[in-house]
């Protein structure tokens, strides 16, 4: 694995000692022979002197190679645009007292779709395509034909006018990321976008739970990411904040991200009495009362002989809470797709934390072409004959694979977590309810030919 990165300006960060699965990815992060002159170290605040310009793309005999920190800088800019759109929709809702909501599945409150989802995705994808013609981008929301056409025109105009794009890295980057020379082939990269992670919470007015996620996957591994926080205090009173990370370099925060109050928890009375501090460690999960999630929470709390089980909405928001040290571990038995986890996994890994599926294995949904699995029966105790349905999230790649990895969930711990990641995974693997859940997933995956 990569050697440690010393503490940076805004938070103590350590590059992780990773599993063998990461070795192949890190070996691809080569420094280009055409690297620009070394950059001057820049303080991590908004008014630092701009970093030296770097070529976003370098033509080599093996194809187009890009600097990952340059792409991450573009993701930060795109995330800011996405956050602005989400805030615009909320401002309109505050003014009119109304917001239209569509439901992808009328039976599922998590399937809400709003104008914020659509406008934020258009803003993000258009910006990334403008700066990176040819970049493979997968958004959670279905794109309308006119939006795809407009984005393509913007990308073509950028390519025609400048030849090879050149841009400055965000001057607010921490020193290690600002100076990073890690590079990769453009064709090996997929960017995953979730314009509003926590749409259900957005509809319900629980704005602290809403985040904008952009993840960069390299050869099927989460490598860089951005979490945009449009409502740091749960309203429009403060400007958005952005958390970013690049595996092998470091991570940091742009803007102010205040520590959030302890949320509700699963045991009565469900709210925290004023001034009362709940016992740690903190275990974050969603509202599900399924047998598999109850087993996961119990196993996590038993690691230290107690603690508190807290409710956090949104996959990205849970992982952000771990990254910021607000909770010790978060667990989710299944998730929607790579757009939910790619960016957050890269950030928490860059910070020195860990993220795997609930059995301790690498998350496998970031391949260039794959299928995620969905199904209402995944949490229940019903027959597993309909437990999975295949939903493609990326197409057109040779050597395509299918994945049921999102049905195996995720487990994240921070670098200073009070709960040992490997020990918790071992406990979960030995828990009968968790074992039965995995058997159900594997049987269903086998029926779909995913094994």
């Amino acid at each position: 694995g990569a050697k440690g990165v010393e503490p940076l300006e805004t938070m103590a960060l350590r590059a992780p000692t990773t599993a063998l699965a990461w070795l192949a990815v890190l070996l691809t992060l080569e420094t280009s022979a055409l690297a620009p002159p070394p950059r001057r170290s820049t303080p991590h605040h908004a008014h630092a002197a701009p970093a030296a310009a770097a070529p976003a793309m370098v033509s080599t005999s093996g194809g187009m190679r890009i600097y990952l920190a340059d792409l991450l800088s573009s993701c930060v800019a795109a995330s800011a645009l996405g956050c602005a759109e989400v805030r615009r929709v909320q401002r309109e809702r505050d003014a009119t007292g109304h917001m239209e909501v569509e439901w992808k599945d009328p039976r599922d409150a998590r399937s809400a779709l709003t104008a914020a989802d659509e406008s934020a995705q258009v803003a993000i994808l258009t910006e990334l395509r403008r700066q990176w013609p040819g970049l493979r981008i997968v958004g959670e929301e279905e794109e309308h034909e006119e939006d795809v056409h407009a984005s393509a025109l913007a990308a073509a105009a950028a390519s025609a006018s400048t030849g090879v794009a050149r841009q400055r890295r965000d001057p607010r980057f921490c020193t290690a990321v600002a100076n990073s020379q890690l590079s990769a082939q453009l064709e090996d990269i997929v960017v995953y976008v979730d314009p509003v992670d926590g749409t259900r919470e957005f509809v319900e007015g629980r704005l602290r739970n809403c985040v904008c996620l952009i993840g960069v996957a390299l050869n099927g591994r989460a490598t860089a990411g951005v979490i945009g926080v449009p409502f740091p205090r749960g309203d429009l009173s403060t400007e958005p904040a952005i958390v970013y990370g690049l595996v092998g370099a470091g991570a940091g925060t742009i803007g102010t991200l205040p520590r959030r109050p302890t949320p509700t928890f699963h045991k009565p009375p469900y709210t925290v009495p004023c001034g009362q501090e709940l016992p740690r460690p903190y275990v974050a999960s969603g509202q599900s009362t399924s047998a598999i999630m109850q087993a996961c929470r119990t196993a996590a709390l038993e690691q230290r002989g107690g603690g508190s089980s807290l409710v956090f909405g949104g996959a990205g928001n849970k992982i952000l809470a771990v990254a910021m040290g607000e909770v010790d571990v978060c667990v989710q038995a299944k998730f929607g797709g790579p757009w939910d986890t790619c960016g957050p996994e890269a950030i928490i890994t860059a910070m020195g934390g860990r993220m795997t599926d609930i059995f301790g294995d690498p998350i496998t949904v970031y391949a260039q072409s794959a299928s995620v699995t969905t199904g209402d029966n995944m949490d229940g105790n019903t027959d597993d004959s309909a437990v999975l349905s295949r939903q493609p999230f990326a197409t057109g790649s040779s050597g395509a694979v299918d994945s049921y990895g999102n049905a195996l969930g995720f487990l994240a711990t921070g670098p200073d977590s009070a709960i040992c990641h490997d020990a918790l995974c071992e406990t979960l693997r030995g828990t009968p309810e968790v074992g039965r859940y995995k058997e159900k997933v594997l049987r269903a995956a086998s029926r779909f030919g995913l094994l």
Side-chain angles (χ1 to χ4, degrees), residues 160-253:
S161 63
T162 62
V164 173
R166 302 178 70 91
Q167 70 175 65
R168 295 180 183 273
R169 295 186 186 178
D170 196 304
R172 299 164 296 180
F173 273 170
C174 61
T175 304
V177 175
N179 292 336
S180 172
Q181 300 295 297
L182 300 176
S183 64
Q185 297 294 127
L186 184 67
E187 64 187 19
D188 294 333
I189 292 172
V190 182
V191 174
Y192 293 104
V193 175
D194 188 346
V196 183
D197 181 61
T199 302
R200 171 186 178 178
E201 288 74 17
F202 182 66
V203 170
E204 295 174 353
R206 295 186 285 146
L207 302 183
R208 284 184 185 272
N209 295 272
C210 305
V211 292
C212 171
L213 304 177
I214 305 177
V216 178
L218 172 61
N219 291 326
R221 293 292 174 192
T223 302
V226 171
I227 301 177
V229 184
F231 310 106
R233 294 189 183 277
D235 53 30
L236 292 165
S237 64
T238 54
E239 292 301 308
I242 293 176
V243 182
Y244 64 87
L246 174 59
V247 175
T253 303

Side-chain angles (χ1 to χ4, degrees), residues 259-280:
R259 190 172 185 87
R260 297 172 290 185
T262 304
T264 58
F265 62 111
H266 287 99
K267 295 179 180 179
Y270 297 105
T271 55
V272 183
C274 182
Q276 178 176 321
E277 183 71 19
L278 292 175
R280 294 196 76 138

Side-chain angles (χ1 to χ4, degrees), residues 16-338:
T17 300
T18 58
L20 290 177
W22 251 106
L23 183 58
V25 177
L26 293 177
L27 289 175
T28 68
L29 302 179
E30 303 166 1
T31 300
S32 169
L34 302 178
R39 291 179 175 76
R40 178 174 50 188
S41 297
T42 55
H44 193 159
H45 55 75
H47 303 290
M57 300 184 184
V58 178
S59 180
T60 70
S61 59
M64 198 66 72
R65 178 169 288 276
I66 70 171
Y67 291 104
L68 294 174
D70 290 346
L71 176 56
L72 180 61
S73 184
S74 299
C75 292
V76 167
S79 177
L81 294 174
C83 287
E85 288 299 310
V86 177
R87 289 169 64 87
R88 178 185 62 79
V89 172
Q90 177 61 29
R91 203 172 289 113
E92 292 174 356
R93 176 162 68 166
D94 287 346
T96 64
H98 174 72
M99 181 179 67
E100 291 190 6
V101 181
E102 296 180 15
W103 305 95
K104 302 174 190 176
D105 181 351
R107 302 167 299 173
D108 187 354
R110 297 167 297 182
S111 69
L113 180 66
T114 71
D117 298 85
E118 295 180 326
S119 60
Q121 177 160 301
V122 169
I124 293 167
L125 268 59
T126 299
E127 177 66 8
L128 290 176
R129 286 170 176 157
R130 182 185 69 81
Q131 295 197 32
W132 300 92
L135 178 65
R136 183 178 181 78
I137 309 172
V138 179
E140 180 185 17
E141 310 305 338
E142 182 179 355
E143 288 191 86
H144 299 296
E145 184 175 349
E146 59 270 23
D147 295 332
V148 176
H149 181 64
S151 292
L153 288 178
S159 180
S161 63
T162 62
V164 173
R166 302 178 70 91
Q167 70 175 65
R168 295 180 183 273
R169 295 186 186 178
D170 196 304
R172 299 164 296 180
F173 273 170
C174 61
T175 304
V177 175
N179 292 336
S180 172
Q181 300 295 297
L182 300 176
S183 64
Q185 297 294 127
L186 184 67
E187 64 187 19
D188 294 333
I189 292 172
V190 182
V191 174
Y192 293 104
V193 175
D194 188 346
V196 183
D197 181 61
T199 302
R200 171 186 178 178
E201 288 74 17
F202 182 66
V203 170
E204 295 174 353
R206 295 186 285 146
L207 302 183
R208 284 184 185 272
N209 295 272
C210 305
V211 292
C212 171
L213 304 177
I214 305 177
V216 178
L218 172 61
N219 291 326
R221 293 292 174 192
T223 302
V226 171
I227 301 177
V229 184
F231 310 106
R233 294 189 183 277
D235 53 30
L236 292 165
S237 64
T238 54
E239 292 301 308
I242 293 176
V243 182
Y244 64 87
L246 174 59
V247 175
T253 303
I254 295 171
T256 302
L257 192 59
R259 190 172 185 87
R260 297 172 290 185
T262 304
T264 58
F265 62 111
H266 287 99
K267 295 179 180 179
Y270 297 105
T271 55
V272 183
C274 182
Q276 178 176 321
E277 183 71 19
L278 292 175
R280 294 196 76 138
Y282 291 162
V283 177
S285 62
Q287 295 176 313
S288 172
T289 58
S290 66
I292 176 63
M293 281 308 305
Q294 297 282 32
C296 288
R297 295 183 192 112
T298 299
L301 293 173
E302 287 177 349
Q303 295 299 298
R304 296 295 297 270
S308 301
S309 179
L310 309 179
V311 178
F312 278 74
N317 183 52
K318 293 180 184 70
I319 303 167
L320 175 63
V322 176
M324 303 307 293
E326 295 174 341
V327 302
D328 296 279
V329 61
C330 70
V331 60
Q332 192 161 309
K334 64 175 181 178
F335 57 94

Side-chain angles (χ1 to χ4, degrees), residues 291-293 295 379-381 428 430-438 440:
I292 176 63
M293 281 308 305
D379 288 337
N381 298 314
L428 289 171
T431 301
E433 183 59 45
V434 177
R436 286 191 291 270
Y437 174 80
K438 186 172 186 179
K440 181 186 294 186

